[in-house]
């Protein structure tokens, strides 16, 4: 510090360093072309001085003869280093103090942070800025390059320059959110509770299909058959669904073929047709008493002979009924 105070004072640097405070106080001056030249010249000179004069952080500890006491003092110093490194002061503008202030890492950080805040104002969207207060492309490009230099100087400024630069980046990012919130009229952060959905009655698929006028069952033919009659019970009891023929009509051909004077070969008779014989047996089981043989008849005849005998017996019943009428 004594050596720093003995160095000759650069009056040009002193003037430009403290002239920046006027731009920090009223940043709208930067949108004036003449004041912009002065602003960039001052920034360039200050950053050049910071870059040419590097700071070295020397961690000083009081040495004692007792090693144990030395370790305790070193531990206490490391624990309190974070709190002691954050000291907010008001700096004097005396010309004789410039060299000492350039050697002070806290003073250097104050100046660099003020530059970053000013850059954020110039490039950000502030509600109270005039529409004419807009930077040109060349000015915005210069701000971007200079901001990188400022962050590099912050990282090089001890102690913990890299960590301090990251913190400043995070703080300015949060400041952008704060500015945007104020530009939008400070809307409330309270979240509106979502409306509670109303409980809807569960509808079964069968009820939905039943209530529909034209029911779609997934198949064109099945849907057509289903929609022929709205009421399934009425459709089942309809006379159009009675497909069982009359016994005398169904056995008409078999009766004529079973007569003795019939000249039809046995192989060509209807009773030898498996489909016809199966249908005839089912119909006879419902309407003819001759279908069931007597219990004392032990001999089992072939199906065609049995069916022919039942058909002839049923034909005699038809003749007797016709004579009685």
């Amino acid at each position: 510090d004594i050596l720093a105070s003995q160095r000759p004072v650069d009056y040009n640097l002193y003037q430009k360093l403290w002239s920046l405070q006027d731009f920090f106080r009223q940043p709208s001056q930067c949108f004036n072309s003449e004041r912009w030249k002065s602003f960039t010249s001052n920034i360039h000179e200050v950053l050049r001085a910071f870059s040419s004069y590097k700071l070295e952080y020397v961690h000083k500890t009081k040495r004692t003869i007792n090693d144990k006491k030395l370790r305790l003092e070193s531990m206490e110093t490391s624990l309190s280093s974070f709190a002691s490194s954050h000291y907010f002061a008001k700096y004097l503008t005396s010309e004789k103090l410039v060299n000492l202030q350039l050697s002070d890492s806290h003073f250097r950080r104050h100046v660099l942070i003020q530059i970053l805040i000013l850059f954020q104002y110039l490039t950000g969207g502030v509600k109270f800025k005039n529409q004419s207060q807009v930077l040109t492309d060349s000015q915005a490009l210069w701000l971007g390059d200079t901001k990188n230099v400022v962050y590099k100087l912050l990282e090089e400024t001890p102690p913990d320059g890299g960590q301090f630069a990251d913190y400043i980046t995070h703080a300015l990012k949060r400041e952008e959110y704060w500015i945007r919130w104020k530009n939008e009229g400070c809307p409330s952060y309270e979240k509106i509770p979502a409306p509670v959905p109303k409980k809807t009655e569960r509808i079964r698929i069968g009820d939905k299909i039943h209530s529909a006028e034209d029911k779609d069952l997934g198949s064109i033919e099945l849907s057509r058959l289903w929609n022929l009659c709205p009421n399934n019970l009425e459709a089942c009891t309809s006379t159009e669904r009675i497909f069982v023929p009359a016994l005398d009509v169904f056995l008409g051909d078999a009766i004529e073929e079973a007569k003795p004077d019939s000249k039809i070969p046995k192989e060509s008779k209807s009773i030898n047709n498996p489909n016809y014989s199966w249908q005839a047996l089912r119909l006879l089981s419902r309407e003819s008493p001759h279908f069931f043989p007597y219990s004392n008849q032990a001999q089992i005849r072939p199906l065609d002979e049995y069916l022919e005998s039942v058909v002839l017996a049923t034909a005699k019943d038809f003749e007797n009924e016709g004579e009685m009428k």
Side-chain angles (χ1 to χ4, degrees), residues 30 69 117 132 142 223 251 320:
C30 297
K69 186 177 180 181
I117 294 175
S132 59
W142 179 87
S223 301
L251 297 178
N320 296 331

Side-chain angles (χ1 to χ4, degrees), residues 23-234:
F23 292 98
F24 297 154
R25 178 185 60 85
Q26 191 176 359
S28 58
Q29 301 178 72
C30 297
F31 295 103
N32 183 283
S33 59
E34 296 297 329
R35 298 295 294 163
W36 172 261
K37 294 179 181 179
S38 176
F39 169 71
T40 55
S41 176
N42 296 346
I43 291 289
H44 175 73
E45 187 67 24
V46 171
L47 296 182
R48 186 187 62 80
F50 287 168
S51 301
S52 60
Y53 185 72
K54 303 294 183 180
L55 299 180
E56 294 182 1
Y57 180 70
V58 179
H59 185 70
K60 298 181 180 180
T61 58
K62 184 177 180 181
R63 294 186 175 274
T64 59
I65 300 175
N66 193 342
D67 293 338
K68 184 176 181 181
K69 186 177 180 181
L70 176 62
R71 289 195 298 269
L72 291 175
E73 289 182 356
S74 299
M75 185 180 298
E76 292 176 358
T77 305
S78 61
L79 291 175
S80 61
S81 61
F82 181 80
S84 62
S85 62
H86 291 73
Y87 176 71
F88 300 94
K90 293 183 179 179
Y91 295 97
L92 300 177
T93 59
S94 174
E95 182 180 348
K96 300 178 181 180
L97 299 176
V98 173
N99 291 331
L100 293 175
Q101 290 169 345
L102 290 178
S103 304
D104 186 1
S105 61
H106 297 285
F107 177 81
R108 181 173 296 196
R109 283 178 172 176
H110 275 274
V111 176
L112 294 176
I113 292 174
Q114 284 180 311
I115 294 175
L116 290 176
I117 294 175
L118 177 59
F119 284 1
Q120 187 180 50
Y121 171 82
L122 296 177
T123 57
V126 182
K127 184 177 181 181
F128 301 101
K129 287 171 59 176
N130 297 331
Q131 295 181 355
S132 59
Q133 295 178 343
V134 180
L135 297 176
T136 62
D137 295 339
S138 60
Q139 291 174 341
L141 182 62
W142 179 87
L143 281 180
D145 296 338
T146 309
K147 183 187 294 185
N148 296 332
V149 176
V150 173
Y151 275 113
K152 183 179 179 181
L153 290 174
L154 279 177
E155 294 176 356
E156 295 175 353
T157 303
D160 302 326
Q163 184 179 0
F164 185 81
D166 293 339
Y167 174 78
I168 296 300
T169 303
H170 178 70
L172 293 178
K173 189 66 176 179
R174 290 179 61 87
E175 184 66 18
E176 292 180 2
Y177 299 143
W178 180 257
I179 294 173
R180 184 172 59 186
W181 177 72
K182 291 189 291 185
N183 291 338
E184 294 174 357
C186 305
S188 176
Y189 281 109
E190 184 179 358
K191 294 183 179 180
I192 302 175
V196 180
K198 297 181 179 180
K199 293 184 178 180
T200 57
E201 185 179 355
R202 184 178 178 183
I203 301 176
R204 298 181 178 179
I205 298 178
D207 297 339
K208 187 176 181 180
I209 295 177
H210 183 72
S211 60
E213 294 183 359
D214 294 333
K215 299 173 178 59
D216 186 7
L217 302 180
S219 173
I220 298 177
E221 186 62 22
L222 187 59
S223 301
R224 183 188 68 80
L225 294 175
W226 188 279
N227 294 320
L228 288 177
C229 183
N231 193 324
N232 290 336
L233 294 178
E234 292 181 1

Side-chain angles (χ1 to χ4, degrees), residues 275-286:
N275 293 332
Y276 182 85
S277 61
W278 180 80
Q279 296 175 2
L281 290 173
R282 291 200 59 179
L283 189 59
L284 289 170
S285 65
R286 295 182 56 182

